[in-house]
Structure formats: C-alpha cells, structure tokens
C-alpha cells in the first residue's frame, strides 16, 4: 500500500462518513471483492449494531501493509488520479476502513498465501494497530466491527426502533442479492442472530413408559447453558412427542429429553425473576420455528386430529426421518441396549450448506452459480421425463377434453349429479313410499331438530344430566385457576385442572364422589316421577299445538304458567328446616363503650402507628386504622418509594472505560471554583506515574471515574474522565458539573444529595421495574413490615410514590360519641 499524493487526495477525497449499517457492509464487501475472493460470509448480531463480521477467502493483506491498512488515503488500488481511467476495482480512495474505525471497534484477521499462520490486529479509532496476536483462520481476511456508533449516541438512537433495524436489514439483503446476480461464481452467505439447537430426544416409536414421565422434572431446557423454564418450548416438545402415539396415554406425559439452545447474549433477557430460571427471548418466534423444524425432522409431521388407524398406518409406511437414520447407522445391527431408545441430535437453525440463511427475519438467500446449475439440471430432468408421457395441449385443456374416462372414453366432468328415473322404481322404494306417505316431510335445512347433549328431556322440561365427580371438581377448580392466572389459555387451564384432579387427596375426592351420587339419585327420582305421571298431561295440549301448524315461528303463550302461579289453590310447601339452636346473650352498648374508654386510657401513653384492618376484595389495597381515621393503603406505592430511596442512597452505577478519555478544564466544568471543588474531593493513593483516581462516593456512585495528574502549578495539573456509566443515556460532563454545583453551593455531603437529574430519572425507572416484580398478593406480615419501614424511613411529608400518588386515601372517621354515630347513620333526605 502507498499513500496517495496530496493533489490526488484533494481531487478524490470525499470526507466519507459512515451513517448506516449498509454502508459498513458495502465497504467491507467491496474490499473482499477487490481481493479476488470467491466466498464471502456476512454475519450480523442485533441487526449489525453489536457485531458485523465479513469473512472472505481472498488474497489477504501483506504483513508490510498491515500498519497502514486502516490509515486514511493509503491504498493499493491506484497511485494517482490518472489511474482512474484504468480502474478495475470497487475501491480507490483508501477511506473506507478508516471511516469504520472512527465509529466502532475494529479488528482484522488476515493471512496471505505466503504466511504460515494468520494474525489478528486490533485497531484504535484512528486506524492504528494497538495489539496483534496469532489466529487459527485460513487464507483470506476477516473484518469484525463491534459496537457500531457507540461513541455517537444520536446516530445509534436512530436505530432504537425495530422498524428501522428491519429496513436496514432489508437493504443489506438487497445489496447481497445485487452482487450475487452480477457475480454468479461468487458464494455469499448472510447470517443474522444465529440459533443453535442441540439435545437428546427419545427415539421415534420408543416405549413411552421408559422415555417419558408424568412430571416435567426429567425434561431439561437450557438457554446459553442456563437451566430455564419455558412454557412455550415445553408445550412444543410435548406436542411433537405425544403426536406419534395413536392412543391418548401420553397426552399428559413429559418426554425425558435435554434441549440446549444457544443464541446471542444480546437476544436474551435473564433479569426477570430472582432465581433467574425465567428468561425472555427477544426472537422467540424464530427459536420456536427452528425447534419445530427440528422436531418435525425427528418425529415427522403428525396431525392431532388423525384417527389412530391412520396414524398407525402412517408410522409403518413412512420412511424414517433423516436424523433417525443417521443415529441408527452409527450403531451395530446387533446392539440391543437401552440406548436405541434415544437420539442425539444437533441442529443449527439455518445451517449453511451452499447458501445459508440463519436469520430471525429469514433473510433471503443469495443465488450463486452452483445453485443456478442445479436449477438447470432439474429443469432438464423434468423436461426429459415429460417427453416420455403423453402431452396435454392447451387447446384440449381449454375445451375440457384433456382428461378422459379410461373405460368409456368420455371426457371427465367436474361434477355429475345422478338421479333415478321416475319410471324405474324398485319394490323396496314402493314399500318405503307407502309407509312414509302419512309422515310429515322434514326439511333438514330450514327446520333443524334439537339435539340435547348435556340435558335430558323429563316431563317436557330440559333437566341437566348429573355430572361426574371429575366434572364437579373441574367446575369449581376452573374458577380458582382463572383467578390465579387471568391470562392463561383454555388449554393451560384444562391441563392445570386435570393435574389437580390427579393429585387430589382421597378425602377430597370422596367428597366430590358423594356429591355426584346425590345428584344422580335426584335425577333418578325426577325420571321416575315423570314416568309415573304418564303422557296424560301433555295430551290435551297436543291438538292445540298441532293446529298452530307444522312450523311455529312464535313461542307458546305463558298463560298456563301464569295460571299456576296466581291460582287460589294452595301450593305444596316444602318442609321448613329445623330452627338452629340459639341463645340470648346480654349485651350493653354503654358497658362496651366504658370498657373501650378504659382500655384506651391505659394505652394512651403508648404511641401507636397505623394498624391493618383487612384486605379489600381487589387484593391490591388494605384498610388501615390511623387513630380515629379509616384509611385505604396501597402497599405497592410504598414499596416503590422505599426502593427508590434505597437506590438513591446506595446504588453505584458501573463505570465503563472510555476509549478516548475526556479532558476536564475550567471551561468545561464551569469555572475555577468547580475545578477546585473537584480537586478537594477524596482520592486514592497515587500510582507509579503520580496520577490518582478519585474515590469520593459522590463521584463513584454516579458512574464517574476521574484521574488527577498533579503538576507544579494549578495550570499544569491534568484532569480527565477515564470511565463513565453507560446504563444512563447521554450521561456526560454536564452531569458532573451538576454534582459539583451541589457540592459547592448546597454543601451536599451525601450521595443522595448529589444525584444528577438523569441519574435520578434512571433510578426511578429501576425502582418501578423492581416494584413490578413483587408478589401481586402480599401477605399480612409483608404489609405490616412495609408499614413499619414506611414509618421508619419515610417522613410524614414524603407520603407519595414516584409518580406523585399518595400512599393513603381517607375513607371515614370512626365516631367516638353517640351523636357522631347517629350523624353518620342519618338517612338521606330526598
């Protein structure tokens, strides 16, 4: 590589700036094409914001050229502007890699044909090499771009929405397709958020009693080597496993299996529950799709609605899945061990063979020369096979004479209705016509017959069929399950109720059996009484009902029912239950009031805080007594305020080292007084170079790591920010100035008093997130502890949550005299 002359630089310089993800991919791909690469692999993580890797098998970069390979205006394509007339490469300015280095972390692995091993180079923001080490990769160049736009928050914020990221990914796909079309001999692959599935699964058709269990304790699911509980993945495993058996004993069983899912760390959120067994997959649909494809390749497609015979026939005649054949081929024929019931499978979703698609958005694969050749061979084979068979002309097809009946030679008709002749009638038809001549003709379309399913018709009234013990239990348990899990699906509710019925104790089960027996006896009594009465009661109303016509459009009159209700005849009364034993107890309100006053006078010297009364039906508020006032308490608002107070006092924001330290001067800090206030803060012991890091908690807790290098005078001392918290958006020097203002003017000495506004807002969001993870139904002991902490940690003036809503709402005052009680019970005057 050579540096371009200044006059050429003035003519060709474009001051190139990287503004999008597709710019990075385009520049790196063109460098690979200029290196005569025949295979290019593009890998993206988080749409390229976290990682972009472009790997080729080109000529590589010579060791002599590596020191200037990313320096601006160094190139091997041209030597002067006159070479543009003979330009045969994509790049020629020498600005691309240097522009990428200025907005991201870049590393380059390269090896030429003459090199023994490849070398990995780490570049800084100006394109200079800061470290190098040997690598294992083969010939070619691999450029990795990490944390794109990390030092430009506004440009990275542009890609905060998923819609923008998907649009950028679509542009990258279109770019690869364009290069694949113009270069048919080039192999291109695009991989985005690769998913890897590995595991041990039961062999298809194995005995379910030895490869499954009634509980999920033998089904292990791992995400990035972390044992987790995932309902959707577990449900998919059970569906594919149980679908291969014709009977239903496996519907409630769990396969004995191990599934390991490997995804990029950026696409998993593990901070959901305290035990970290629940994770949130950002690309869950892609994972489920890949797992479904793996299970289909292992067990085959089984439709749950197929009859058992068809399922059995399909399992006997269908060939073994590819994974099953590979697993069986690796074992000797005579082996009879229990390992034949298991299959070890490894399935990288979107594994590339010729053209790879490993993308949660299912990125379109790019066509290459070998793929086109396969398509041409396929077309040739199809054409050759078509010559051997009879051809169907377009004219015969349009006339409807292309397909003929092999017996009669007549053209096949799409629909043909066969009707018997009126003259030709069999004896059986005549008998049926004579016997059915007096019957009413029933129109099955306009007049639908009633079909009673869960009801029996007894004495002209529909009475519900008695329920079984399991049905009675399900009727009560479904309400409880729905109250506990309002968002559960119908299938989840049914499964939960079924599990509870199986695990029900013997005493509880007998209770439901006795209840079902009583229902059955009552149903039998009603049936016998209706049979004893006979059809005489309904015979009188039959002519009137028949006279109204065969098809009634209006309901019958309710006059008969009204006559029975308002008739003067005495109605049969049911036997009144025996009165419950009662006992009169003497009670005096005056004595009770005197007793309460005596107790209150004894405990008057002991100050008492708010006391819990009871929980409301909504389960989100409690009634408490504060002296003579009944108040409504929201414990979640109190917990939110307590969490925020604890975060303000104790939380330390983690600082991340800056690639380019920020220099601090009097002008950036707001004046010499602010600089002096900073220098007077607590520091650690000096290091070997004389510099000292500030250890003052007011700086460290807010995510600032500042280094002071002393000088002979105040003008020669050097202050710089070496690390800063990246969890708070747009944290900068102005926030440090806000801390120094609190120290200098408000004499703030605690961390809580020195929190900048951005940090305060961030901690408020964290407090809300932590409060939402608390149990939705706290116990009485938990609420009492919350009240105690509220009295101890929160002042009376601070009785609101983060959003300004009060903890307590006044309901009413408890009356202390008879006059106050009567005033409360006074009826309304209308």
């Amino acid at each position: 590589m050579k540096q371009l002359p200044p006059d050429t630089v003035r003519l060709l310089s474009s001051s190139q700036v990287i503004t999008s993800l597709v710019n990075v991919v385009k520049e790196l791909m063109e460098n690979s094409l200029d290196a005569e690469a025949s295979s290019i692999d593009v890998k993206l993580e988080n749409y390229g914001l976290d990682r972009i890797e472009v790997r080729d098998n080109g000529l590589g970069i010579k060791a002599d050229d590596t020191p200037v390979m990313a320096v601006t205006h160094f190139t091997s394509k041209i030597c002067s502007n006159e070479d543009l007339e003979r330009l045969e490469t994509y790049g020629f300015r020498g600005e691309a890699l240097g522009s990428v280095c200025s907005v991201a972390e870049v590393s380059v692995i390269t090896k030429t044909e003459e090199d023994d091993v490849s070398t990995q180079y780490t570049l800084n923001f100006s394109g200079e090499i800061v470290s190098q080490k040997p690598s294992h990769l083969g010939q070619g160049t691999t450029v990795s771009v990490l944390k794109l736009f990390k030092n430009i928050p506004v440009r990275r914020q542009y890609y905060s929405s998923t819609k923008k990221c998907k649009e950028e990914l679509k542009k990258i796909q279109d770019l690869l397709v364009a290069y694949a079309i113009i270069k048919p001999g080039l192999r291109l692959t695009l991989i985005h958020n690769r998913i890897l599935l590995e595991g041990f699964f039961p062999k298809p058709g194995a005995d379910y009693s030895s490869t499954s269990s009634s509980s999920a304790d033998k089904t292990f699911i791992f995400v990035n080597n972390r044992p987790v509980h995932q309902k959707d993945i577990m449900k998919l495993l059970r569906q594919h496993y149980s679908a291969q058996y014709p009977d239903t004993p496996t519907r409630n069983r769990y396969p004995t299996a191990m599934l390991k899912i490997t995804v990029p760390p950026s696409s998993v959120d593990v901070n959901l529950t305290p035990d970290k067994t629940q994770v949130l997959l950002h690309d869950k649909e892609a994972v489920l799709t890949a797992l479904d494809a793996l299970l289909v390749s292992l067990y085959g497609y089984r439709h749950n609605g197929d009859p058992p015979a068809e399922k059995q026939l399909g399992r006997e005649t269908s060939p073994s899945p590819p994974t099953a054949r590979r697993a069986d081929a690796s074992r000797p024929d005579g082996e009879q061990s229990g390992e034949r019931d298991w299959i070890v499978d490894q399935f990288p979703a979107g594994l590339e063979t010729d053209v790879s698609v490993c993308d949660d958005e299912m990125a379109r694969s790019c066509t290459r020369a070998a793929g086109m050749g396969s398509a041409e061979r396929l077309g040739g084979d199809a054409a050759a096979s078509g010559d051997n068979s009879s051809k169907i002309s377009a004219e015969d097809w349009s006339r409807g004479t292309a397909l003929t009946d092999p017996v009669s030679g007549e053209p096949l008709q799409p629909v043909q209705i066969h009707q018997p002749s009126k003259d030709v009638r069999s004896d059986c038809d005549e008998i049926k016509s004579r016997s059915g001549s007096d019957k009413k003709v029933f129109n099955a379309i306009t007049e639908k017959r009633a079909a009673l399913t869960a009801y029996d018709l007894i004495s002209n009234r529909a009475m519900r069929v008695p329920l079984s013990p399991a049905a009675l239990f399900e009727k009560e348990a479904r309400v409880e399950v729905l109250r506990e899990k309002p968002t559960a699906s119908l299938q989840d509710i049914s499964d939960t109720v079924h599990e509870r019925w199986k695990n029900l104790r013997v005493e509880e089960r007998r209770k439901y059996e006795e209840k079902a027996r009583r229902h059955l006896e009552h149903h039998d009594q009603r049936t016998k009484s209706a049979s004893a009465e006979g059809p005489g009661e309904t015979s009188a109303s039959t002519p009137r009902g028949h006279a109204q016509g065969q098809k009634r459009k209006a309901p019958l009159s309710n006059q008969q029912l009204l006559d029975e209700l308002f008739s003067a005849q005495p109605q049969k009364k049911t036997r009144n239950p025996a009165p419950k034993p009662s006992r009169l107890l003497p009670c005096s309100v005056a004595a009770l009031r005197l007793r309460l006053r005596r107790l209150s006078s004894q405990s008057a010297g002991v100050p008492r805080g708010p006391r819990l009364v009871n929980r409301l039906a909504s389960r989100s508020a409690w009634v408490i007594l504060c002296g003579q006032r009944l108040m409504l308490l929201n414990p979640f608002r109190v917990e939110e305020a307590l969490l925020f107070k604890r975060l303000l006092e104790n939380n330390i924001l983690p600082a991340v080292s800056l690639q380019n330290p920020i220099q601090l001067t009097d002008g950036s800090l707001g004046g010499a007084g602010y600089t002096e206030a900073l220098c007077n803060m607590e520091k650690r012991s000096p290091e070997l170079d004389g510099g000292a890091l500030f250890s003052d908690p007011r700086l460290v807790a807010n995510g600032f790591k500042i280094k002071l290098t002393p000088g002979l005078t105040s003008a020669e001392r050097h202050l710089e920010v070496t690390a800063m918290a990246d969890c708070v958006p747009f944290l900068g020097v102005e926030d440090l100035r806000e801390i120094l203002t609190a120290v200098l003017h408000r004499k703030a000495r605690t961390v809580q008093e020195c929190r900048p506004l951005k940090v305060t807002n961030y901690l408020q969001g964290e407090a809300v997130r932590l409060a939402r993870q608390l149990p939705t139904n706290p116990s009485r002991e938990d609420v009492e502890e919350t009240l105690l902490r509220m009295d101890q940690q929160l002042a009376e003036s601070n009785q609101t949550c983060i959003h300004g809503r009060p903890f307590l709402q006044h309901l009413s005052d408890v009356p202390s005299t008879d006059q106050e009680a009567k005033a409360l019970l006074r009826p309304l005057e209308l």
Side-chain angles (χ1 to χ4, degrees):
M1 292 185 181
K2 296 181 181 179
Q3 186 176 13
L4 294 177
D7 54 345
T8 304
V9 171
R10 285 193 300 270
L11 291 173
L12 303 181
S13 179
S14 63
S15 299
Q16 181 174 357
V17 178
I18 300 297
T19 59
S20 63
L21 302 172
V22 69
N23 288 150
V24 180
V25 177
K26 179 178 181 297
E27 297 296 340
L28 298 181
M29 277 193 61
E30 290 181 349
N31 286 344
S32 299
L33 294 174
D34 290 340
E36 302 178 7
S38 60
S39 175
I40 301 177
D41 300 325
V42 181
K43 299 180 181 179
L44 307 177
E45 291 184 11
N46 190 20
Y47 300 95
L49 294 173
D50 293 345
R51 184 184 185 89
I52 299 176
E53 181 179 296
V54 177
R55 178 178 300 179
D56 64 62
N57 61 349
L59 301 177
I61 304 174
K62 297 180 180 180
D64 298 337
D65 296 336
T66 54
V68 294
M69 60 183 171
V71 179
T72 308
H73 302 136
F74 276 83
T75 179
S76 60
K77 314 297 174 55
I78 63 173
C79 296
S80 62
N81 57 335
E82 289 82 7
D83 295 339
L84 292 177
E85 300 176 359
R86 303 178 296 275
L87 186 65
E88 297 180 355
T89 59
Y90 287 98
F92 53 87
R93 295 194 185 98
E95 296 177 346
L97 197 55
S99 302
V100 176
C101 291
S102 63
V103 295
E105 300 177 3
V106 179
S107 64
V108 179
I109 303 175
T110 185
K111 178 182 179 297
T112 63
E113 187 177 1
E114 294 79 13
D115 296 335
D116 296 332
V117 295
S118 58
T119 306
Q120 178 179 351
Y121 300 93
T122 303
L123 309 178
N124 61 8
F125 69 97
S126 60
E128 300 174 351
I129 298 175
V130 295
S131 66
Q132 66 182 62
K133 59 182 179 180
S135 178
H136 66 286
L137 298 182
Q139 180 178 344
T141 303
T142 301
V143 181
S144 300
V145 181
L146 307 177
K147 301 178 182 179
L148 187 61
F149 303 137
K150 176 186 177 182
N151 55 348
I152 309 178
V154 177
R155 198 168 299 171
R156 191 176 180 91
Q157 184 73 16
Y158 177 77
Y159 295 103
S160 59
S161 65
T162 308
K163 181 180 179 181
K164 295 291 184 181
C165 294
K166 290 183 178 181
E167 291 176 355
E168 202 70 14
L169 182 61
K170 177 64 168 55
K171 294 178 182 178
I172 295 175
Q173 296 173 17
D174 296 341
L175 177 68
L176 266 66
V177 170
Y179 281 117
I181 292 174
I182 197 61
K183 290 185 173 292
L186 177 65
R187 173 185 176 272
L188 288 175
T189 63
L190 174 61
I191 302 173
H192 181 213
N193 290 350
R194 181 168 183 163
I195 304 168
L196 180 64
L197 305 179
E198 302 175 86
F200 293 82
F201 304 96
K203 182 181 177 182
D207 184 11
Y208 69 87
S209 61
S210 61
T211 58
S212 64
S213 61
S214 59
S215 60
D217 56 348
K218 295 183 180 179
T219 305
F220 302 93
I221 301 175
F222 301 87
V223 175
N224 290 356
N225 298 327
R226 183 189 303 275
V228 298
H229 300 294
Q230 272 286 337
K231 291 185 178 180
D232 295 334
I233 295 177
M234 179 68 74
K235 182 178 179 181
L236 194 60
L237 285 172
R238 293 180 64 189
Q239 285 179 350
H240 281 273
Y241 174 75
S242 60
Q244 60 178 327
Y245 297 97
D247 301 327
T248 59
T250 59
R251 288 186 179 274
N252 299 318
R253 297 183 69 86
Y254 297 83
T256 304
M258 188 279 287
L259 174 63
K260 177 184 176 184
I261 303 174
T262 305
V263 296
S266 60
S267 62
V268 181
D269 185 2
V270 299
N271 190 21
L272 294 181
T273 57
D275 57 357
K276 292 176 283 190
T277 59
Q278 299 285 343
V279 298
L280 178 64
L281 295 171
H282 296 176
D283 306 315
K284 185 175 70 173
E285 294 299 329
V287 174
L288 293 178
T289 302
L291 178 59
D292 184 71
L294 169 63
L295 296 176
V296 167
S297 67
L298 178 61
Y299 296 116
Y301 178 75
R302 299 288 192 274
H303 195 279
N304 292 334
D306 293 342
E310 294 178 5
K311 290 185 179 180
Q312 184 69 19
L313 180 61
R315 186 167 65 252
E316 291 177 358
T317 59
S318 62
S320 301
T323 52
R325 288 199 297 268
R326 287 200 303 269
D328 296 341
S330 62
R331 299 186 180 91
D333 295 337
E335 185 179 349
Q336 300 295 334
S337 66
E339 294 180 355
R340 295 184 62 85
D341 289 343
W342 302 96
I343 284 183
V344 183
D345 206 344
Q346 181 170 349
F347 183 84
L351 177 64
E352 66 272 22
T353 53
D354 288 338
V355 177
S356 171
V357 178
C358 310
D359 180 21
D360 58 349
E361 301 296 334
M362 298 306 295
R364 299 173 181 82
S365 59
C366 305
T367 310
R368 67 183 189 90
M372 295 180 177
S374 301
E376 293 172 359
R377 283 198 305 274
L378 182 60
D381 296 341
S385 61
D387 294 338
N388 298 331
S389 61
S390 59
K391 295 184 178 179
I392 298 177
S393 63
E395 183 180 0
D396 293 340
W397 181 265
S398 62
R399 291 179 178 178
T401 59
L403 304 177
T404 57
D405 189 349
V407 178
S408 62
E410 296 290 334
L412 291 180
Q413 301 295 329
V415 176
Q416 186 174 2
I417 301 176
H418 299 275
Q419 294 181 348
S421 174
K422 295 183 179 179
D423 299 334
V424 180
R425 302 181 65 183
S426 61
D427 297 338
C428 182
D429 294 336
E430 294 177 359
I431 295 173
K432 290 182 179 179
S433 63
R434 288 197 301 269
S435 62
S437 60
D438 297 333
K439 294 183 179 179
K440 172 188 172 182
V441 179
F442 178 76
N443 191 333
I445 297 178
T446 60
E447 301 181 10
K448 295 185 178 179
R449 298 181 184 271
L452 297 178
T453 56
Y455 294 85
D456 285 343
L457 195 62
I458 299 177
S459 186
N460 288 338
R461 288 188 300 173
M463 182 178 179
R464 189 174 182 87
V465 175
L467 300 177
S468 63
L472 291 172
F473 172 79
E474 180 181 1
K475 187 177 179 181
E476 299 178 1
R478 288 179 73 92
V479 179
E480 298 178 0
V481 174
L482 190 60
R483 188 183 298 115
E484 296 172 1
K485 304 176 181 178
T487 60
S489 63
L490 295 178
Q491 184 63 34
D492 294 339
I493 296 175
S494 300
D495 295 342
T496 305
V497 172
H498 186 70
E499 289 293 333
R500 292 187 179 182
W501 172 252
K502 291 198 304 182
N503 301 328
L504 196 64
R505 293 183 299 177
V506 179
E507 296 80 5
E508 297 290 334
R509 190 183 293 265
R510 288 177 180 173
K511 183 181 70 173
Y512 288 101
E513 292 175 353
E514 180 65 22
K515 192 174 181 180
R517 185 184 62 80
R518 292 197 300 267
H519 285 193
L520 180 61
E521 292 177 356
H522 179 68
H523 182 269
D524 294 340
Q525 291 176 1
R526 294 291 303 272
T527 305
K528 291 179 182 179
S529 62
S531 302
E533 291 176 359
E537 297 180 1
T538 60
S539 61
S541 61
T542 302
R544 183 181 64 179
H546 183 72
Q548 293 178 358
Q550 296 180 352
K551 184 178 179 181
R552 295 191 299 268
K553 296 185 179 180
L556 292 177
S557 174
N558 294 327
Q559 186 63 38
Q560 183 179 359
L561 179 60
L562 296 175
D563 293 342
E564 293 178 0
L565 291 176
F566 297 99
S567 63
Q569 298 179 359
Q571 301 291 334
K572 185 184 291 185
K573 296 183 179 180
T574 58
R575 182 179 300 176
N576 294 328
K580 296 183 179 180
S582 60
R583 178 182 176 185
L584 295 176
L585 295 177
C587 178
S588 173
V589 177
L592 178 61
R593 185 182 301 111
L594 181 61
R595 177 71 175 173
L596 291 175
R597 289 177 179 176
R598 191 175 301 167
L599 292 175
S600 61
S601 63
Q602 293 176 359
S603 61
V606 182
R608 300 195 61 177
R611 289 171 290 171
L612 288 180
V613 177
N614 206 344
R615 187 209 310 259
L616 291 185
S618 63
R619 297 194 176 190
S620 60
W622 287 72
V623 178
I624 67 172
L625 182 63
C626 298
Q628 293 296 116
R629 295 187 303 168
L630 281 178
M631 308 288 288
L632 197 64
L633 170 69
N634 190 329
F636 296 100
R637 295 179 181 176
V638 181
E639 290 290 348
E640 192 177 90
L642 291 172
L643 285 170
F644 176 57
K645 182 176 182 297
R646 189 173 64 183
L647 290 174
L648 279 179
E649 295 174 351
N650 305 321
N651 189 70
I652 299 177
L653 301 181
V656 180
S657 299
L658 298 177
Q659 186 177 5
N660 301 319
I662 301 175
Q663 308 296 329
L664 298 178
T665 61
D666 294 346
S668 61
L669 292 178
Y674 292 88
T675 306
E676 289 297 329
L678 177 61
C679 295
N680 292 333
M681 288 186 175
E682 184 181 352
K683 295 179 284 294
R684 298 179 186 175
S685 58
E687 299 177 354
L688 296 178
D689 58 353
L693 293 175
F694 286 89
S695 60
D696 195 295
R698 294 172 291 183
L699 297 176
V700 177
N702 288 309
F704 287 99
K705 187 177 180 181
I706 304 175
K707 184 177 181 180
L708 171 63
T709 303
L712 298 178
T713 62
S714 58
E716 295 180 358
R717 64 187 174 191
H718 184 68
L719 285 169
E720 62 180 7
V721 180
T722 59
M724 192 183 303
D726 60 349
C727 56
V728 181
F730 310 111
L731 189 69
V733 179
E734 61 275 6
D735 302 288
L736 177 60
R737 188 187 308 123
E738 192 174 340
I739 298 173
L740 297 177
T741 301
V743 174
L744 189 61
H745 297 289
R746 297 197 299 269
K747 307 300 181 184
R749 297 184 177 275
T750 63
V751 175
Q752 184 177 2
E753 298 173 338
C754 297
R755 292 290 189 183
L757 181 59
K758 293 177 185 177
V759 177
T760 303
N761 294 337
Y762 168 75
L763 295 179
Q764 285 181 351
E766 289 295 300
V768 173
R769 184 180 66 84
L770 294 174
R772 289 178 178 175
Q773 297 179 6
L774 295 174
T776 56
N777 300 323
S779 62
R780 188 181 186 90
E781 292 77 11
D782 295 338
V783 179
E784 289 178 350
E785 182 186 359
T786 301
L787 279 176
L788 180 61
R789 289 189 287 118
M790 181 184 71
D791 290 340
Q792 295 175 352
Q793 301 180 23
L794 298 178
E796 294 184 359
S797 59
N798 185 16
Q799 296 292 317
T800 59
C801 68
I802 295 175
H803 307 91
R805 301 187 182 97
F807 302 153
L808 303 173
Q809 294 286 349
H810 182 262
L811 294 179
S812 177
D813 291 334
V814 178
S816 57
T817 62
D818 293 341
Q819 290 79 8
E820 294 179 0
K822 291 179 181 179
L824 290 176
L825 297 177
R826 184 177 60 187
L828 296 175
E829 297 179 359
L830 300 178

